[in-house]
Amino acid sequence: MDNIKIALLSISGIIVLGSGAFYFLSKQNETETRTNIDRWFEERLAISLAEKLNESTEEVVATLRGASNPIIADKIREIIDSARLTFTRGKSIDDIKISLNVDYVNGKSLSVATNWNWDELPQTIRSEFLRSDSKTVSRPWYFPWDNQ
């Protein structure tokens, strides 16, 4: 009888460790996916902002990625009203368009887009698509200095 209890406890322990490892890896993948999306848009946004702010693209990218350059961050705050990420499903589940729409305070806007596969999306976005059965999921995009 004791051997059966030991075997059951061992199996339970393996299941718990496996579940924990799976949870950790899925959270790590979620963070990595979000980072990849953010990096792509930071680079595209930096090109536009560098022209408007008369700053180097490298300096603007560094600021968008959280490097402390309060002068550039203040300039960006002054000209950007809001930024929003929109995920749109195409005819195929693997055809997802991701758009970043930036509204400037002067009424102008910037829109950049790319296509991603379903499996490359953050889990929260995939869950929202499945839960709502909608073709579009939209989220605000925050700058590193914003309190989220």
Side-chain angles (χ1 to χ4, degrees):
M1 189 67 162
D2 287 333
N3 289 340
I4 294 173
K5 287 182 181 178
I6 292 171
L8 288 174
L9 284 174
S10 297
I11 291 171
S12 297
I14 291 169
I15 291 172
V16 168
L17 288 174
S19 298
F22 178 76
Y23 176 78
F24 174 75
L25 291 174
S26 67
K27 286 298 178 187
Q28 185 177 5
N29 186 40
E30 175 87 2
T31 301
E32 196 173 294
T33 300
R34 286 175 186 262
T35 301
N36 291 340
I37 292 171
D38 285 340
R39 285 190 180 283
W40 191 87
F41 288 115
E42 287 162 351
E43 291 167 4
R44 299 310 175 276
L45 181 57
I47 293 167
S48 173
L49 288 173
E51 289 177 20
K52 294 182 182 318
L53 301 174
N54 200 24
E55 298 285 348
S56 76
T57 303
E58 293 79 20
E59 282 288 322
V60 176
V61 165
T63 302
L64 291 174
R65 291 188 175 155
S68 183
N69 187 329
I71 294 170
I72 294 176
D74 286 344
K75 288 180 180 181
I76 292 171
R77 272 191 209 98
E78 289 174 11
I79 66 169
I80 291 187
D81 185 34
S82 66
R84 192 153 198 83
L85 277 172
T86 304
F87 301 82
T88 307
R89 280 193 325 197
K91 292 180 182 179
S92 164
I93 196 164
D94 263 347
D95 185 22
I96 306 293
K97 178 181 173 185
I98 305 175
S99 303
L100 175 69
N101 300 300
V102 178
D103 292 325
Y104 294 100
V105 293
N106 67 1
K108 297 193 181 214
S109 63
L110 167 73
S111 183
V112 292
T114 186
N115 288 337
W116 284 51
N117 291 325
W118 176 261
D119 293 336
E120 296 174 319
L121 295 177
Q123 179 60 40
T124 53
I125 300 300
R126 291 190 310 234
S127 295
E128 181 68 23
F129 272 124
L130 295 173
R131 185 174 40 257
S132 68
D133 197 32
S134 175
K135 295 280 187 196
T136 303
V137 173
S138 186
R139 298 279 186 271
W141 188 77
Y142 298 103
F143 294 97
W145 52 82
D146 287 337
N147 292 326
Q148 299 176 22

